[in-house]
């Protein structure tokens, strides 16, 4: 079997929530996908799968990068369509977690799987080796577990669980496919119940529930303590349980109890009485509107066990504990938690203690290295640091001594001793040259697989550092740097949320000039998960309020010079976009020679939402694109589509949708793994330079003129009369239309870029000085939400 795994067509067996979403993500990645389920008793035999595909378009968060992709998934059933498996390169089973059901299905499909195809199970915890027993010998070496986390499009973690017979050569090809094509973080797990992520993650929730009862804390208080305050998601513990479903949570706990009879913590693998009571009442969580929490009107209420009723939720830690959690030094923080007499501080220490104890005890049996555990929890549960990283940051040796003291004193959830390696004098489990493997009794370095050479800045574990390159030039706004011996310059912003100010704008222009002298190409790439949130609204509002209107206009003119400098520089500039790319950020990438965007890029010209219009060349660029795209002298049909996008401040839900909206070009590149973004962008920039790229020549654009503006304005009048928009909405939209159509000139006229830039800037400045626009900006800055005044 070749190490290069080419997957043209895939099949997903099971059209439930997970199966349908896995099919959606395979389709996002351009893989022809067939979705199977049982034959429907009425109507078309493939009706169950067909309905699941239709439902994908209504789900939130969206499993499909664009809704239209759902039409590319083929519905199928087991009665009539198993023959379609013969063309598939990858078949993944994702039916309910019932061993008997899975084994029965494997018996039906085995003879239809082609000789080259990989068969995988998306089981979240059943034994891969037990499942493999239902397969013929010829298929077992191509079978393994591939466990996606929910929702599959967005959760980075995929656990791969090889069976005893799995061909070792399959590992590298599958790892490369999951990592690069689907954009995932792959962790290899041993074939033990619940594997790594859920084994540790669910235990952490069980420990939290145990100590909730022990310290008599409210569910909302626990969530205040176990969410962002300790580097975990906002949903914390009990909100997460509500989202997962309390019946599902109970099933997972029962599975642990049934499959892990020899676990030293087995006595705690039981559903708390109060959780059972909720399930019996039908309060199963978010899917039925009530669980630990419920919504009463606009008020969020939490269950109060002492009152056996709901009360208003008050998610707040006491001042003493909040002060401890605010301590920046982790060792000092943990010492304070352990020493405090506050029950909430004692609760937190107990939760961490038992998590550390459990994770260290089971490391050797569930994972190859400590790195696998930490990444599984970070990627699968959204923690900023994994359990071993947290322990190591907090002072490994001291924390280990405290755990041993608590075990001896009977305070820990189990009397099992810590493994000997924990107290062998080490300072932790992660070092620069690798992470600890108890089984190998040595530190194991990161995987040398070729796919990881594409990740120039992979997710770093505590203590890991990567080459930050060589600085070519910098100011207070940007850093221009290179990596290795490459002559592709990288521009990274220094501002909060990568916003634009004059230091950034001047820096970009200077960097382009330096690149023309010394470099082959440029890439704009940010180290965080935001490409740019656009202009600095606070600074802009301050200038207007202080009467410094001329300074604001000078800044806007500087922005326009910057985007034009990028577009017409003598070296190609490639925008490497991920995460938020809004307003000015969108305009900058629109003027790049090419954009390389991560799938999860949320791109939009959103200025209308704060009472303004794009004025960094965005509307100019759209008008020019519409002119080039039209076969006549009237580009109005193209302008209509863009107008709606800009006037409604639409933001794409993916890079693929950004192409639909016209904010990305069809030639722009979409990358699924954000860690590969810089690698691909540098290669694209080099390729453009090597192929003799030249900046676009100045070219007059023919515009829709006053007739185009009048046509749009007539539609706006009807919307205003119907109270669909406000008077200020109409003011903004009319000015957007006027700019896109080239101003008050005759239909079919030709104008140059400067004409359109001046028009942009004129309308921007007039809107910026209006009270209603200033109110919108202030409201957005204060609440993070738009104001419709």
């Amino acid at each position: 079997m070749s190490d290069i795994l080419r997957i043209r067509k895939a099949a997903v067996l099971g059209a439930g929530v997970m199966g349908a979403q896995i099919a959606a993500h395979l389709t996002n990645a351009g893989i022809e996908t067939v979705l199977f389920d049982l034959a429907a008793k009425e109507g078309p035999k493939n009706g169950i799968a067909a309905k699941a595909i239709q439902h994908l378009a209504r789900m939130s968060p969206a499993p499909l990068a664009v809704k239209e992709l759902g039409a590319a998934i083929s519905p199928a059933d087991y009665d009539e369509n198993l023959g379609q498996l013969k063309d598939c390169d990858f078949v993944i089973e994702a039916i309910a977690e019932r061993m008997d059901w899975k084994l029965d299905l494997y018996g039906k499909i085995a003879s239809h799987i082609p000789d080259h195809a990989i068969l995988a199970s998306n089981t979240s915890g059943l034994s891969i080796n037990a499942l493999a027993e239902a397969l013929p010998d010829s298929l077992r070496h191509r079978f393994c577990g591939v466990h996606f986390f929910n929702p599959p499009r967005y959760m980075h973690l995929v656990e791969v669980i090889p069976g005893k017979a799995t061909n070792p050569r399959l590992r590298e090809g599958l790892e490369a496919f999951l990592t690069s094509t689907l954009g995932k973080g792959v962790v290899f797990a041993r074939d033990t119940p619940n594997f790594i992520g859920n084994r540790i993650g669910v235990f952490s929730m069980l420990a939290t529930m145990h100590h909730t009862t022990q310290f008599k804390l409210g569910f909302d208080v626990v969530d205040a303590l176990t969410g962002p305050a300790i580097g975990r998601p906002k949903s914390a513990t009990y909100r997460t349980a509500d989202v997962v479903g309390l019946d599902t949570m109970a099933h997972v706990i029962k599975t642990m109890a049934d499959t892990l009879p020899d676990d030293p913590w087995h006595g705690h693998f039981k559903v708390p009485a109060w959780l059972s009571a909720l399930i019996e009442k039908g309060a199963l969580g978010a899917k039925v509107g009530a669980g630990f929490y419920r919504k009463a009107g606009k008020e969020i209420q939490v269950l109060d066990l002492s009152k056996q009723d709901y009360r208003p939720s008050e998610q707040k830690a006491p001042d003493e504990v909040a002060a401890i959690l605010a301590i920046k030094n982790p060792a000092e923080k943990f010492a304070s938690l352990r020493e405090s007499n506050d029950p909430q501080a004692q609760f937190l220490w107990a939760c961490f203690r038992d998590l550390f104890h459990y994770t260290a005890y089971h490391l050797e049996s569930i994972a190859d290295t400590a790195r696998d555990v930490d990444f599984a929890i970070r990627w699968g549960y959204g923690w900023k640091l994994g359990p071993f990283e947290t322990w190591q940051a907090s002072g490994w040796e001291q924390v280990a001594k405290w755990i041993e003291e608590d075990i001896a004193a009977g305070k820990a959830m189990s009397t099992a001793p810590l493994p000997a390696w924990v107290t062998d004098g080490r300072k932790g489990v992660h070092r620069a040259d690798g992470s600890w493997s108890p089984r190998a009794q040595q530190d194991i370095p990161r995987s040398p697989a070729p796919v990881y050479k594409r990740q120039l800045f992979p997710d770093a574990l505590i203590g890991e550092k990567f080459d930050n390159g060589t600085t070519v030039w910098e100011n207070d706004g940007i850093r221009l740097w290179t990596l290795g011996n490459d002559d592709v310059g990288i521009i990274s912003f220094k501002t909060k949320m990568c916003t634009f100010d004059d230091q950034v704008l001047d820096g970009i222009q200077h960097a382009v000039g330096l690149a023309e002298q010394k470099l082959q190409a440029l890439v704009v790439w940010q180290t965080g998960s935001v490409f740019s949130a656009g202009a600095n609204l606070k600074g802009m509002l301050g200038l207007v309020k202080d009467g410094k209107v001329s300074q604001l206009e000078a800044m806007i003119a500087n922005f326009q010079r910057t985007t034009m400098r990028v577009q017409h520089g003598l070296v190609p500039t490639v925008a490497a976009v991920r995460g938020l790319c809004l307003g000015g950020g969108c305009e900058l990438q629109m003027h790049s020679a090419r954009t390389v965007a991560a799938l999860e890029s949320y791109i939009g010209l959103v200025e209308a939402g704060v009472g303004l219009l794009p004025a960094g060349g965005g509307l100019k660029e759209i008008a020019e694109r519409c002119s080039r795209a039209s076969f006549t002298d009237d580009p109005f049909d193209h302008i209509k589509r863009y107008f709606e996008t800009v006037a409604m401040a639409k933001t794409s839900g993916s890079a693929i949708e950004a192409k639909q909206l016209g904010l990305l070009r069809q030639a722009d590149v979409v990358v699924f793994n954000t860690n590969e973004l810089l690698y691909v962008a540098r290669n694209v920039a080099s390729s453009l330079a090597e192929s003799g790229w030249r900046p676009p020549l100045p070219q007059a654009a023919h515009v829709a003129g006053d007739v185009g503006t009048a046509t749009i304005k007539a539609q706006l009048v009807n919307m205003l009369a119907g109270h669909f928009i406000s008077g200020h909405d109409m003011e903004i939209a009319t000015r957007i239309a006027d700019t896109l159509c080239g101003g008050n000139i005759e239909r079919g006229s030709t104008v140059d870029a400067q004409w359109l830039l001046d028009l942009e800037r004129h309308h921007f400045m007039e809107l910026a000085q209006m009270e209603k626009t200033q109110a919108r900006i202030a409201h957005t800055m204060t609440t993070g939400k738009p104001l419709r005044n």
Side-chain angles (χ1 to χ4, degrees):
M1 183 181 293
S2 171
D3 289 336
I4 298 176
L5 184 62
R6 306 289 189 192
I7 293 180
R8 183 185 303 275
K9 186 174 181 180
V12 180
L13 311 179
V17 173
M18 280 300 289
Q21 289 190 85
I22 292 170
H25 195 56
L26 288 165
T27 307
N28 289 338
I31 297 165
E32 185 182 351
T33 303
V34 185
L35 180 62
F36 281 83
D37 210 294
L38 297 169
K41 294 180 180 178
E42 297 179 1
K45 284 285 189 80
N46 63 11
I48 294 174
K51 286 181 180 178
I53 294 167
Q54 292 172 3
H55 183 60
L56 289 170
R58 300 190 294 272
M59 292 182 70
S60 179
L64 294 163
V66 290
K67 291 180 180 179
E68 291 78 3
L69 281 173
I73 305 173
S74 301
D77 66 89
Y78 304 127
D79 285 4
E80 297 183 343
N81 305 123
L82 286 180
Q84 292 190 39
L85 293 175
K86 74 179 188 304
D87 299 321
C88 293
D89 309 301
F90 180 57
V91 179
I92 181 165
E93 167 271 307
I95 68 171
E97 290 290 278
R98 284 272 303 266
M99 179 69 78
D100 54 340
W101 290 0
K102 290 179 187 286
L103 295 178
D104 179 63
L105 178 61
Y106 292 2
K108 289 180 181 178
I109 65 168
S111 62
H112 296 275
I113 305 292
D115 292 342
H116 72 282
I118 294 170
L119 175 64
S121 175
N122 183 58
T123 177
S124 59
L126 296 179
S127 170
I128 297 302
N129 288 309
L131 290 170
E133 291 176 5
L135 299 171
D137 291 341
S138 61
L139 190 49
R140 289 183 188 182
H141 71 284
R142 291 179 280 124
F143 175 70
C144 64
V146 175
H147 178 217
F148 288 84
F149 273 59
N150 191 22
R153 171 183 162 186
Y154 301 95
M155 296 305 292
H156 192 56
L157 177 64
V158 170
E159 292 177 315
V160 174
I161 310 96
K164 292 176 183 176
T166 305
N167 188 333
R169 295 183 66 191
L170 174 70
R171 173 176 174 144
E172 189 170 295
L174 187 58
E175 185 175 20
F177 167 71
L178 293 168
T179 300
S180 204
T181 305
L182 298 188
K184 298 303 171 187
V186 174
V187 165
F188 285 89
R190 298 191 178 279
D191 188 20
T192 55
N194 287 4
F195 311 131
I196 300 175
N198 284 339
R199 180 73 174 272
I200 302 302
V202 172
F203 174 80
S204 178
M205 294 186 76
L206 278 172
T208 302
M209 290 179 176
H210 169 75
H211 293 303
T212 298
T213 302
Q214 183 183 20
F215 291 97
K216 298 181 173 60
L217 301 181
F219 299 128
D220 53 343
V221 172
V222 169
D223 278 355
L225 294 169
T226 59
I230 58 171
R232 298 182 189 175
K234 288 182 180 179
S235 55
T237 301
Y238 292 105
R239 285 186 186 278
T240 296
D242 271 356
V243 171
V244 169
L246 305 193
D247 52 342
T248 302
M249 189 74 197
H251 174 74
V252 171
I253 295 170
K254 183 179 185 302
T255 300
M256 290 184 74
D258 292 345
T259 58
L260 295 166
D262 299 325
D263 192 302
W265 283 260
H266 184 267
H268 296 284
F269 297 166
K270 56 187 177 184
V271 179
W274 37 263
L275 180 54
S276 295
L278 281 171
I279 294 170
E280 287 172 13
K281 291 178 182 176
L284 304 180
K287 58 188 173 186
V288 298
F292 292 109
Y293 294 91
R294 74 177 184 188
K295 197 170 183 181
K298 292 186 178 181
E299 184 179 65
I300 302 296
Q301 297 181 334
V302 65
L303 179 66
D304 188 324
L305 288 178
S306 63
K307 298 178 180 177
Q308 288 294 299
D309 198 2
Y310 289 88
R311 59 168 172 77
S313 175
E314 300 173 359
Q315 273 188 275
K316 188 176 182 296
D319 292 342
E320 180 183 341
V321 178
I324 293 173
L325 293 177
I327 297 172
K328 291 186 176 180
N329 183 301
E332 184 182 339
K333 182 187 300 185
F334 268 74
S336 298
L337 285 175
R338 181 170 163 79
E339 293 167 5
S340 173
N341 290 320
D342 189 296
Q344 295 184 22
Q346 293 174 358
F347 160 82
L348 277 175
W349 160 249
C351 289
F352 277 114
R353 173 199 65 214
D354 291 314
L355 171 64
F356 296 160
H357 185 190
Y358 189 84
T359 307
Y361 184 89
H362 288 294
L363 172 59
E364 181 173 351
S365 65
I366 66 174
D368 289 339
T369 70
R371 176 175 52 248
D372 298 323
V373 171
D374 280 343
F375 278 149
I377 295 299
R378 278 169 53 174
W379 295 342
Y381 280 77
W383 295 10
K384 286 186 177 178
L385 293 177
F388 285 126
E389 288 181 289
T390 305
W391 183 352
Q392 185 167 324
S394 306
W396 184 274
E397 292 176 296
Q398 179 61 72
V399 170
K401 288 178 182 176
W402 288 336
I403 295 172
E404 286 188 318
E405 288 174 9
D406 281 9
I407 294 171
K411 294 180 179 179
M413 290 172 66
S414 169
T415 58
L418 283 172
W421 59 263
V422 171
T423 54
D424 64 2
R426 68 179 52 249
K427 302 295 183 183
V429 290
H430 301 303
R431 298 197 305 178
D433 54 351
S435 295
W436 176 248
S437 169
R439 187 172 292 240
Q441 286 293 299
Q442 64 181 19
D443 293 327
I444 304 293
R446 280 177 175 261
S447 169
V451 70
Y452 295 115
K453 291 182 172 63
R454 298 168 60 87
Q455 298 187 16
L456 303 178
F457 292 92
D459 290 340
L461 289 163
I462 184 170
E464 280 189 312
K465 291 184 179 179
F466 302 105
D467 180 7
N468 287 320
T470 303
T471 299
V472 176
W473 177 86
E474 64 183 323
N475 67 355
D476 290 341
I478 72 153
R479 177 186 177 226
L480 172 64
W481 53 288
T482 56
L483 200 55
N485 296 321
D486 204 344
D487 54 2
V488 174
I490 303 165
I491 296 174
S492 298
F493 297 1
K494 297 181 179 180
T495 49
K496 185 178 180 181
M497 295 290 284
C498 301
T499 52
F500 292 91
D501 58 19
D502 277 322
Q503 289 283 349
V504 171
L505 298 172
D506 293 344
I508 294 172
Q509 293 176 56
H510 188 71
V512 173
L514 286 174
E516 290 174 335
Q517 298 171 29
K518 303 179 179 181
L519 300 168
Q520 185 184 43
L522 284 172
V523 169
V524 182
W525 177 81
Q526 318 298 6
T527 54
S529 58
V530 175
F531 179 75
S532 175
N536 183 338
L537 286 177
K538 183 178 180 181
M540 285 172 42
L541 184 61
L543 290 175
V544 176
K545 291 286 190 183
D546 293 342
K548 298 177 180 178
V549 176
S550 60
Q551 285 185 231
L552 177 58
E553 183 163 13
M555 180 183 171
I556 299 304
N558 196 22
F559 205 142
Q560 293 179 338
R561 283 194 298 275
T562 301
T563 54
M564 295 299 284
R565 186 76 176 93
V566 165
Q567 187 172 51
H568 295 283
L570 295 177
V571 296
T573 296
V574 171
V577 172
R578 62 178 167 183
L580 293 180
C581 178
L582 305 177
C586 179
E587 291 178 289
L588 181 69
Q589 69 81 23
M590 290 175 75
H591 287 81
S592 65
R594 192 80 80 248
T595 296
V596 177
L599 176 69
E600 301 310 331
S601 294
Y602 311 115
I603 302 172
L605 294 170
V606 296
E607 289 85 350
V610 290
L612 296 166
L613 54 67
L619 297 184
K620 179 274 303 177
E621 182 65 17
I622 290 173
E624 290 182 332
R625 290 183 184 184
C626 291
S627 174
R628 291 193 295 271
S630 61
F631 294 104
T632 67
D633 288 339
D634 186 5
F636 184 70
D637 285 342
H638 297 282
I639 285 171
K640 283 190 299 184
R641 178 169 66 96
Y642 276 107
F643 168 77
E644 182 179 319
T645 297
V646 179
M648 295 181 67
K650 285 185 179 179
T651 299
S652 73
S654 70
I656 296 174
E657 188 181 7
K659 286 192 174 188
Q660 267 192 356
L661 296 174
L663 300 173
L664 289 180
R665 295 152 292 202
Q666 290 306 310
D668 289 333
V669 179
V670 178
V671 174
F672 272 60
N673 195 314
T674 56
N675 289 333
E676 296 182 355
L677 186 64
L678 182 57
Y679 173 88
V680 176
R682 289 168 78 214
N683 283 348
V684 168
S686 290
S687 176
L688 287 172
E690 292 288 347
S691 62
W693 179 89
R694 294 289 299 174
L697 292 170
Q699 188 174 353
H702 51 268
V703 294
D706 50 8
V707 174
T709 305
T711 304
I712 293 174
K713 193 170 181 179
Q715 298 171 353
L716 293 172
V717 168
N718 291 333
M719 293 179 72
L720 180 64
H723 304 290
F724 295 107
I725 61 174
S726 69
H728 198 51
D729 288 332
M730 182 164 178
E731 180 73 41
I732 300 159
T734 301
R735 290 174 182 271
I736 291 170
D738 185 65
T739 308
L740 288 174
C741 294
N744 188 24
I745 56 176
E746 187 176 344
R747 177 181 183 176
S749 298
T750 57
V751 298
D752 62 12
Q754 194 58 53
W755 172 277
L756 294 167
L757 291 171
D758 291 344
L759 199 54
E760 266 187 3
R761 195 171 65 256
H762 165 75
H763 284 310
F764 180 94
M765 290 307 302
E766 292 206 341
L767 285 170
Q769 294 174 73
M770 295 180 183
E771 287 186 11
K772 288 188 175 181
T773 287
Q774 292 169 27
R776 287 191 178 195
I777 295 173
H779 185 269
T780 300
M781 287 169 50
T782 304
T783 67
K785 298 177 181 178
L787 172 66
R788 287 286 173 257
N789 55 354

